[in-house]
């Protein structure tokens, strides 16, 4: 996975921990996932790394993404960024991180400090692609103006109850990918009548319908989290579900908005 294309469906690992977590990662890779996403804030990069090792997959066949953020540091120094990347590479057991995100644009985040060192790390081969996470359009404009290297993706919450139309248009116009976390709205998609009806029509789960809707958008990559093999496989099967135009229109007409991640420092 050396190119700039992110595999269409990723495996999210928020709160994936311990022996069960490592087995879940290995199972997901065995099922067919080739994109694994984690973050320093999740405190599980070592678990993800163990799952990758257990899978026995060729490193060239896997796209590994992680994130760093200034949640505890007094200021976002270049030294902090370098140390964070070194620690993530060691924990994940990789020579290079395929996609490194700035996790949240907190008050301490300074694009003029962060992106030059990320550019240097890319030139040195420690990371392959740059990304941002939870960035608004304004945050993106600032980042794009500062970074010499391309920004590949913005990872944000997106699902049928938070459709991100404005942000999606902005990213599409600039050939950036939206990586969708919480693509099942943390289970809330199972309680949406429209999704239930479409799921019954196709004989599949509401989860699979929600993921297929996201996958119908050419620049959106969902990263569902699941720990049981049944759910890991069900989510992966969304790649084979093709919604018709009526299904898509019904989902996009859902008159309900639910944002699940809304920290005080961000919104």
């Amino acid at each position: 996975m050396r190119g700039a294309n992110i595999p269409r469906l990723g495996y999210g690992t928020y709160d994936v921990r311990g022996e069960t977590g490592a087995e879940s990662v290995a199972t997901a890779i065995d099922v067919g996932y080739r994109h694994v996403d984690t973050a320093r804030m999740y405190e599980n990069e070592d678990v993800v790394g163990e799952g990758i090792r257990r899978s026995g997959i060729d490193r060239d066949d896997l796209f590994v993404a992680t994130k760093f953020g200034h949640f505890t540091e007094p200021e976002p120094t270049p030294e902090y960024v370098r140390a964070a990347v070194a620690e993530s590479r060691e924990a994940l057991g990789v020579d290079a991180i395929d996609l490194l995100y700035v996790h949240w644009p907190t008050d301490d985040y300074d694009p003029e400090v962060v992106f030059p060192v990320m550019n240097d790390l890319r030139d040195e081969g420690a990371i392959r692609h740059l990304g941002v996470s939870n960035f608004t359009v304004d945050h993106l404009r600032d980042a794009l103006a500062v970074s010499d290297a391309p920004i590949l993706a913005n990872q944000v919450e997106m699902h049928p109850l938070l459709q991100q139309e404005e942000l999606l248009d902005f990213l599409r116009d600039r050939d950036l990918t939206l990586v969708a976390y919480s693509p099942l709205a943390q289970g809330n998609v199972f309680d949406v009548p429209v999704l239930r009806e479409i799921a019954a029509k196709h004989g599949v789960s509401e989860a699979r319908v929600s993921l297929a809707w996201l996958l119908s958008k050419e620049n959106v990559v969902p990263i569902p989290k699941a720990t049981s093999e049944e759910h890991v496989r069900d989510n992966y099967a969304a790649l084979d579900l093709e919604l018709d135009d009526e299904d898509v229109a019904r989902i996009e007409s859902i008159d309900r908005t639910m944002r699940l991640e809304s920290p005080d420092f961000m919104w």
Side-chain angles (χ1 to χ4, degrees), residues 31-65:
V31 165
Y33 291 82
R34 292 296 178 264
H35 170 193
V36 179
D37 179 271
T38 185
R40 286 174 59 77
M41 190 177 76
Y42 302 168
E43 298 182 339
N44 68 354
E45 288 175 317
D46 57 336
V47 172
V48 173
E50 175 60 24
I52 291 171
R53 284 187 288 275
R54 289 185 190 182
S55 75
I57 192 171
D58 189 312
R59 177 66 185 93
D60 287 348
D61 293 333
L62 192 65
F63 189 96
V64 180

Side-chain angles (χ1 to χ4, degrees), residues 13-17 42 44 225 227:
T13 64
Y14 178 74
D15 208 27
V16 170
R17 301 187 182 282
Y42 302 168
N44 68 354
K225 185 202 85 172
T227 51

Side-chain angles (χ1 to χ4, degrees), residues 126-148:
I127 61 177
R128 296 197 173 100
H129 303 290
L130 280 60
V132 295
S133 182
N134 301 300
F135 275 40
T136 64
V137 167
D138 286 342
H139 290 129
L140 278 164
R141 290 187 194 279
D142 291 342
L144 290 166
V146 169
S147 182
D148 292 331

